Amino acid sequence: MRLVALQVAVVVAFAALAVGFWYLQIVQGAKYEEMAANNFQRTLALRAPRGVLYDRNGKVLVENRSAYTVSIVREHSTDLDRTVQLLSEVAGLDAGDVRQVVDRRRNEPIYRPIVVIEDASLAQVAAIAARRLDFELPDVVIEEVPTRQYPTDALAAHLFGYVGEASDAQLGDGVTRGAIVGQSGVERVYNKLLMGQDGERRVVVNSLGREIRTEEEIPPREGRRVQLTVDYDLQKAAEDGFKHAGFNGAALVMDPRNGEVLTYVSLPAYDPNDFAGGIDRATWASLNADTLRPLQNRAIQGRYSPGSTFKLVVATAALEEGLVTPDFKVNCPGGASFFGRYFLCHLKGGHGVVDMRHAIEKSCNVYFYTLGNMLGVDRIHKWADKLGMTGKTGIDLPNEQESIVPSTAWKLERTGERWYPGETISVSIGQGQVSVTPAAMAMMITTIANGGTRVTPHIIRAVDEGGGWRMATPPAVAERVAFRPETLAALHDGLWMAVNAAGTAGRARIPGRDVAGKTGTAQVISIQGRQAARGNTGRDLRDHGWFVFFAPKDTPQLAGVIFGEHNEHGYLGAPIAKHVIETYFAKQEGRPLPVLPPKPAPAPTPRLEPDPDSPPVLLETQPVALNQSAVGSRQ
Amino acid sequence: MFERRLYHHIDWGLLVALLALCGIGLANIYSATGGWTGVVETQIYGIALGVVALVVCLSIDYRSLADKSHLIYIGIAALLLYVLFFGAVRGGSRRWIDLGAFNLQPSEFAKAALALVLAKLFGESRRGVVTRVDLLIAGALTAVPVFLVARQPDLGTAVTLIPVAFAVAYVAGMPMRALGVLALVAALAAPAVWTFALQDYQRERISTFLDPAQDARGAGYQQIQARITAGSGGLWGKGFQEGTQGQLRFLPVAHNDFIFSVLAEEHGFAGVLAALGLYLFVILRALEAARLAKDRLGAYLVLGVLACFTFQVIYNITMSAGLAPVKGLTLPLMSYGGSSMVATLAGFGLILNVRMRRFTN
């Protein structure tokens, strides 16, 4: 009897076991299968190299190099604090910083590596590897990852931009946490092309976390190769030119026929390599604190008053509106009265009777006061717009600033006040409320160079999406205005004379190349303000200098702007332009590239030559009622 | 001594099932340890030695063995005592006698010895009913080896001795009232045992069992891994030597205590059912031997041996599925371990012995 009970008990027990296993293996099987897979499989990301950037001739500009990252995998940590301590000691880091990095990513899955050193030095790698062999740092891994390699001398830094870990806002659309994305410049605008596709490696690990074998490897797909429109040699020539001249600034040189950017400079620059391996806090802080603002992309983000270069806009407007012909003459006695005020020309004795060509050559203020007064501010605005000097140029770089050329509507909207005609006088020589970026200036001179076609500056030339180079579609031409032949002839002649005759830009003269150009000076502060501020401000109050140019005069192949920050004289930019132009033609004709002469003696003080672009001196003949105007306020 | 006609009464079915289980165990040890290793060889020697022990235990009439049961019992007790002082230490406990070529684990043999002595006690009781004196004597006889083994410490093996006493006493006609009293005493004693008798690691194991996640990297690790190992096997398993959990050592000592998890992982629910079926067949077949036994001595002997075996099988398999606290309890016939193999097969020698001699006087 009791034996039967035992039999039954045993059968019931085994049935219970069978049910238990059925539940475990069949009902919950999938769940445990996944857990088992998580146990022994690890998916390691293989970072894709970003696409290589080439210049227009196929020279490599930005490539990738191998960097070593050092990470902590908490899954294998026995004592995380000890690891942090020891790792910091071995690698020469601040333990507090390392701890902070680890703490910040505390909530991520423990098998995901936390990168502690982005771009470890070989010494660090060696020191850590030695400790790893001793099993002192079992939870530290060293990985080789492709990292961006930029030219060593920060060449074209603001053009390339820089990369960094994706911010929360940048996630999605193929960008995962921890991914490296372009944060500025071409890297940012063409990030999608350049980024490539990260691969992954699925490995089998044992219970100690040691890799046993690779199960599957999806190789990373390198980002697309991208060819830029810039020319390395011209870029270098421009930057060398700035170095040689000894000031900062910006330059933008394009092919006026199609808007391809050949040279793009903004100085001072940062070293994009600092960002490639994750920028450290000290470098970032110093870049931000630098009073020279190296992070500002001056060519599209800096706004300055255009000074005398703006006279070209006024000249174009007056000719195209049919108000005057190039033969229109004005007598310059050294100044003129408008609206009860006397506006000076920069040449004390006056230029005498000048026509349009000579007015441009000599940069005669009185001539352009007169034209400006005839035009009115709105027609000046209209033609500034047609020349591409207002708003954004549409260049394929991020965070471009809008350039401003005032109009009556603009002023009314902005200040609620009507426009005073007296303000137009100073606008007509590029002072007052005109405020434009170097890129806008390049647009203006390019449009004048090519006869009225407003090409959009662009940087990308071709993309290799796997099937070889494919030319990028250039952006649509914004506007095509065919200038009257006599307008063009007058403008081009005047600009040619400014360089090749008795003008202000003789330093850009290249025999046989017919360089055309115009200098300008942008006031940083009024003369009176300067006197008031003398000695008690740390700001650099010296004027900025402009030089816009194109060459050759009749069939322009390149056009652009040199902006010299606080260099005081526009004509100091001319040698930079000259060096770029010479390089361009030397290259075209297969001659050796020109070399800059050894640095000249420091800039002469006192001034040896009068600067024709100096801001006009205003003589008051009556009490001023226009104290709202820019001219008035300068008084 | 071995009469020819007895040969025909050997339970060949049971024997084949036993050897099949040994074979399955061997295959899984082979898989879990990653091929032909010393472990596999040792296990083969263990099986061979076990078969010899089985034949020996089969050959000698169980009645004459029972007559000597007190001597065997005393001998084993002496060995247990010896181990306690001079045994080889491994993993923090003294369980083995180092005999050079192999280690002997006397506690494994205590099971059969206890079954023998208890069968003798109840089976030869003239009165035919179980008296309190009998129960007390049985309790004392059980308590001695339980205490000695528990001191090694090897709580797992010690606990497996208790079912021997219960099974024999139960079938011998122990009043249910006594069972109730014992259960009550156990319930009342539990807190005291928890506080005083258990070692820290044992307490930890039990509390971990109740909530394995509280210590996923420590004591709960094996239990979680056992559950993952068995659960991930699915219906048909991952295949021989394809189990990731066992092969990559996420499950420690897989060839030993968790051999059934390895089987569950690599051969799935199907393999589990096959193995469970074999064990059930073995147990029911042995119970049949108890029913057929010529005398009470034989029946009790079978039950004593079987109780210990069954308890261990059920507990180990439950543990293999991560459904019971982790104890150092092997799965008889399948787990790696020479002493266990020899003792188990010797025990089945006794069971076969009883069945074989059911017609002899």
Side-chain angles (χ1 to χ4, degrees), chain A residues 152-169:
Chain A
T152 46
D153 45 4
L155 186 92
H158 283 281
L159 176 73
F160 301 141
Y162 53 87
V163 294
E165 205 165 293
S167 68
D168 285 350

Side-chain angles (χ1 to χ4, degrees), chain A residues 71-198:
Chain A
S71 322
I72 296 179
V73 185
R74 286 165 298 158
E75 186 183 25
H76 303 145
S77 293
T78 41
D79 183 349
L80 188 59
D81 283 338
R82 207 188 127 269
T83 298
V84 168
Q85 198 67 43
L86 185 59
L87 181 64
S88 313
E89 225 168 83
V90 170
L93 304 170
D94 179 42
D97 290 348
V98 175
R99 205 177 306 275
Q100 217 176 345
V101 170
V102 174
D103 281 349
R104 204 167 40 231
R105 299 178 58 182
R106 195 175 42 231
N107 297 327
E108 293 182 15
I110 58 167
Y111 56 81
R112 190 173 291 168
I114 297 177
V115 177
V116 178
I117 312 176
E118 277 277 7
D119 188 2
S121 68
L122 281 177
Q124 285 174 321
V125 170
I128 294 163
R131 294 301 183 109
R132 245 184 83 76
L133 288 179
D134 293 343
F135 300 105
E136 281 188 86
L137 295 170
D139 45 351
V140 171
V141 293
I142 302 171
E143 284 174 295
E144 201 180 333
V145 293
T147 301
R148 236 10 182 176
Q149 169 84 57
Y150 298 93
T152 46
D153 45 4
L155 186 92
H158 283 281
L159 176 73
F160 301 141
Y162 53 87
V163 294
E165 205 165 293
S167 68
D168 285 350
Q170 290 168 324
L171 296 181
D173 195 21
V175 178
T176 51
R177 192 168 289 283
I180 300 294
V181 297
Q183 301 288 9
S184 150
V186 169
E187 293 278 24
R188 170 157 161 194
V189 175
Y190 295 106
N191 183 61
K192 248 188 123 123
L193 281 172
L194 294 170
M195 197 167 67
Q197 179 109 46
D198 284 354

Side-chain angles (χ1 to χ4, degrees), chain A residues 547-618:
Chain A
F547 181 61
V548 293
F549 65 94
F550 60 89
K553 175 186 79 127
D554 294 323
T555 51
Q557 294 177 33
L558 69 170
V561 60
I562 306 289
F563 169 74
E565 189 171 76
H566 302 302
N567 71 345
E568 298 187 274
H569 307 293
Y571 58 77
L572 291 179
I576 300 174
K578 179 182 173 185
H579 187 49
V580 172
I581 297 166
E582 280 183 327
T583 305
Y584 177 85
F585 286 111
K587 213 173 162 181
Q588 195 178 60
E589 292 160 14
R591 287 184 285 110
L593 301 184
V595 181
L596 285 167
K599 219 170 167 92
T605 50
R607 285 181 190 176
L608 294 179
E609 48 188 305
D611 188 347
D613 302 315
S614 295
V617 181
L618 190 78

